[in-house]
């Protein structure tokens, strides 16, 4: 009887291991603490329950400047539905440039300046801008974009995430 159970036990262990390895695991957004430009402390975990777009950008980045009006429209379109954009200016950006751009464009979302490079490091060492992370309501990273995303695709992913 015991000899018959050993092969069955081995098969069960192999199946469990295979299932564990084949089931996709969610990469979770870091539990990042940051300050907004107006010095309010906030953490990504406080935004759980919302779909969050974390956008690393710089005022010297032409791609960032090109995509920013679209990000403004997306925030305006989905903000009342549980969506939040967090724009994190890179460490090397200059605060007066960030402030001037924010005032000029009337950016309707949370803005932070990553002066200590902690946010970029927490997201795996972001070096290129724009780099954008779409985060689901549960804090899981749904998509990472390096470069300007296709805005129609991004909106479709936001809409899908808002429905879940």
């Amino acid at each position: 009887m015991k000899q018959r159970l050993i092969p069955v036990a081995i098969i069960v262990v192999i199946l469990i291991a295979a299932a564990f390895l084949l089931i996709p695991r969610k990469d979770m957004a870091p539990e990042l603490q940051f300050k907004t430009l107006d010095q309010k402390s906030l953490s990504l975990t406080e935004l759980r329950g919302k779909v969050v777009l974390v956008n690393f950008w710089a005022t010297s980045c032409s791609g960032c400047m090109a995509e920013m009006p679209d990000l403004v429209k997306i925030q305006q379109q989905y903000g009342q539905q549980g969506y939040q954009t967090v724009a994190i200016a890179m460490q090397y950006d200059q605060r007066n440039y960030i402030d001037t751009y924010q005032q000029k464009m009337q950016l309707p979302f949370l803005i932070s300046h990553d002066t200590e490079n902690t946010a970029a490091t927490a997201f795996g060492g972001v070096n290129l801008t724009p780099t954008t992370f779409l985060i689901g309501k549960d804090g899981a990273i749904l998509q990472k974009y390096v470069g300007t995303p296709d805005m129609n695709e991004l909106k479709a992913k936001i809409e899908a995430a808002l429905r879940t």
Side-chain angles (χ1 to χ4, degrees), residues 20-72:
F20 184 74
L21 293 173
L22 294 175
I23 295 173
R25 287 176 273 167
K26 295 180 180 179
D27 287 330
M28 300 300 287
E31 295 184 13
L32 177 66
Q33 297 268 3
F34 60 95
K35 285 190 186 237
T36 60
L37 291 184
D38 57 359
Q39 297 303 305
K40 291 181 183 167
S41 291
L42 193 62
S43 72
L44 284 183
T45 53
E46 291 176 62
L47 297 175
R48 292 266 168 93
K50 292 186 175 205
V51 175
V52 178
L53 186 86
V54 176
N55 176 257
F56 288 90
W57 67 291
T59 57
S60 60
C61 164
S62 60
C64 301
M65 298 298 97
E67 77 178 2
M68 202 58 78
D70 289 323
L71 296 181
V72 167

Side-chain angles (χ1 to χ4, degrees), residues 57-115:
W57 67 291
T59 57
S60 60
C61 164
S62 60
C64 301
M65 298 298 97
E67 77 178 2
M68 202 58 78
D70 289 323
L71 296 181
V72 167
K73 289 176 188 170
I74 289 171
Q75 178 63 45
Q76 292 167 337
Q77 183 175 357
Y78 299 108
Q80 296 298 316
Q81 299 174 45
Y83 169 82
Q84 180 63 61
T85 301
V86 178
I88 302 177
M90 297 295 284
Q91 179 183 27
Y92 55 81
D93 212 342
Q94 295 184 30
R95 176 61 191 260
N96 60 327
Y97 292 170
I98 299 165
D99 289 339
T100 300
Y101 186 75
Q102 190 277 331
Q103 291 167 4
K104 175 184 169 190
M105 295 298 293
Q106 294 296 298
L107 301 176
F109 37 72
L110 300 171
I111 304 169
S112 179
H113 186 195
D114 194 16
T115 57

Side-chain angles (χ1 to χ4, degrees), residues 6-18:
I6 291 174
V8 171
I10 290 172
I11 291 170
V12 168
V13 168
I14 290 171
L15 289 174
I16 291 171

